[in-house]
Amino acid sequence: SDPAEWKINSCTIDYICKNGFSQNLDSSFSQSKRIYQSVRRGSFRNINRYVNKSFFETVLVNGKKCPRKYLVYSQSKGSVFCVPCYLFNNTSAFSKNGFSDWKRPKSIDKHENSLSHKTCVVKMKNRSSELNNVNEVLTFQLETEKIYWKNVLTRVCAVVKSLSSRGLPFRGDNENIGSLHNGNFLMCLEMIAEFDPFLANHLANYGNPGKGYTSYLSHSTYEQFIKLMATKVQNQIVEEVINAQYFSIVIDSTPDIAHVDQLSFIL
């Protein structure tokens, strides 16, 4: 049951995906002791920290608490391993030598939300499905997150479609939720949030996360939507032209605000 003693090969992966594994939460956590130095009243003092059972729980994006079934405690190393990443060759500390920096438990959240971890979870889920054994907790966590972000993007997409179809600007002086100068895009989302508890909760939790965090509220998100919508409109025009066989073209141009000539083709 100790992950540090597993020999990772195809047989081991199939066995664990089919039969599951023990998290070893009933073990003594004495081996997990790590010594940290802190300064108190001008002198150095050693503080002992241990793994805590609360580290094996997470809060999902919808606010529900869920056990971290992917974590397993290693008695020999006194650290925790991420089983999906350990089995499918992730390069993080959770899969190499185990994680044991108990002073920074938020590193577990960061790992949990990383793309590499989610990729390994999907691989393990697919392997378990092939072996007729799907880990319900891992699947539930993954599906919950997919549904949540899909609901966020549905609302973002509606705002992008409304603004772009009317030729209105998106950006403002900043991208801060609650600012009076954050532009039409965020203004529309804030207005919808007044009547939509889901979006109101999302803005409260992810409104101003900063770089490196997922929120789908930044300019990069709506620029991708605009490109996708423009491609779809262009494909529709091309399809109509092909079906029509006969069509006329009107060409006109006008300089933009930077005095660069913009040429338009009207079919």
Side-chain angles (χ1 to χ4, degrees):
S1 63
D2 193 327
E5 298 176 358
W6 293 353
K7 293 182 180 179
I8 305 301
N9 52 43
S10 182
C11 293
T12 304
I13 293 173
D14 285 346
Y15 180 85
I16 293 173
C17 288
K18 186 175 183 179
N19 299 288
F21 54 90
S22 171
Q23 290 187 278
N24 303 326
L25 297 183
D26 296 328
S27 305
S28 168
F29 291 153
S30 58
Q31 290 294 111
S32 68
K33 182 173 79 172
R34 299 293 183 269
I35 301 174
Y36 296 88
Q37 276 194 342
S38 66
V39 180
R40 290 188 179 179
R41 296 179 181 178
S43 60
F44 287 98
R45 183 179 177 183
N46 290 336
I47 297 178
N48 297 332
R49 293 181 184 269
Y50 299 82
V51 64
N52 194 300
K53 284 191 176 181
S54 64
F55 297 166
F56 292 82
E57 263 192 351
T58 185
V59 179
L60 301 180
V61 288
N62 62 359
K64 185 174 182 179
K65 282 190 175 182
C66 181
R68 286 184 168 123
K69 286 291 187 180
Y70 61 84
L71 282 183
V72 58
Y73 174 68
S74 170
Q75 182 73 18
S76 62
K77 290 205 168 190
S79 57
V80 293
F81 284 79
C82 172
V83 174
C85 296
Y86 191 33
L87 295 179
F88 294 97
N89 299 320
N90 192 345
T91 56
S92 69
F94 288 83
S95 59
K96 282 187 173 182
N97 301 311
F99 174 78
S100 60
D101 189 358
W102 314 131
K103 192 177 180 180
R104 298 176 179 81
K106 287 190 176 180
S107 297
I108 304 177
D109 295 330
K110 188 176 180 180
H111 171 77
E112 184 174 81
N113 293 317
S114 67
L115 179 60
S116 56
H117 167 74
K118 293 177 182 178
T119 301
C120 291
V121 169
V122 171
K123 287 181 179 179
M124 187 172 180
K125 175 179 175 290
N126 293 337
R127 191 74 161 259
S128 298
S129 298
E130 293 173 2
L131 299 169
N132 300 319
N133 178 37
V134 179
N135 189 312
E136 293 182 0
V137 176
L138 285 178
T139 303
F140 173 76
Q141 186 173 346
L142 196 64
E143 291 302 318
T144 300
E145 198 158 332
K146 284 169 61 178
I147 292 170
Y148 180 90
W149 292 114
K150 187 175 181 180
N151 286 331
V152 172
L153 289 174
T154 299
R155 289 157 173 80
V156 170
C157 182
V159 173
V160 172
K161 186 169 64 174
S162 299
L163 292 177
S164 59
S165 64
R166 288 161 178 78
L168 296 174
F170 281 66
R171 291 197 189 189
D173 295 335
N174 58 62
E175 291 186 341
N176 299 326
I177 298 297
S179 170
L180 294 176
H181 308 285
N182 56 14
N184 290 334
F185 174 71
L186 292 180
M187 180 271 292
C188 288
L189 289 175
E190 288 174 335
M191 183 183 64
I192 295 171
E194 293 182 14
F195 309 97
D196 184 356
F198 174 85
L199 187 57
N201 181 66
H202 180 72
L203 293 182
N205 294 329
Y206 299 92
N208 299 308
K211 291 185 177 180
Y213 294 90
T214 303
S215 68
Y216 292 125
L217 302 174
S218 66
H219 63 274
S220 59
T221 299
Y222 62 67
E223 284 173 358
Q224 290 182 53
F225 269 116
I226 291 171
K227 289 179 181 177
L228 290 171
M229 291 177 183
T231 301
K232 190 172 182 64
V233 170
Q234 188 176 14
N235 291 340
Q236 179 66 29
I237 293 172
V238 171
E239 184 179 341
E240 289 180 5
V241 167
I242 293 173
N243 292 334
Q245 294 185 353
Y246 299 100
F247 57 91
S248 59
I249 301 176
V250 179
I251 302 176
D252 194 13
S253 67
T254 184
D256 60 15
I257 193 171
H259 304 292
V260 177
D261 201 51
Q262 300 293 330
L263 186 67
S264 299
F265 284 80
I266 303 170
L267 303 178

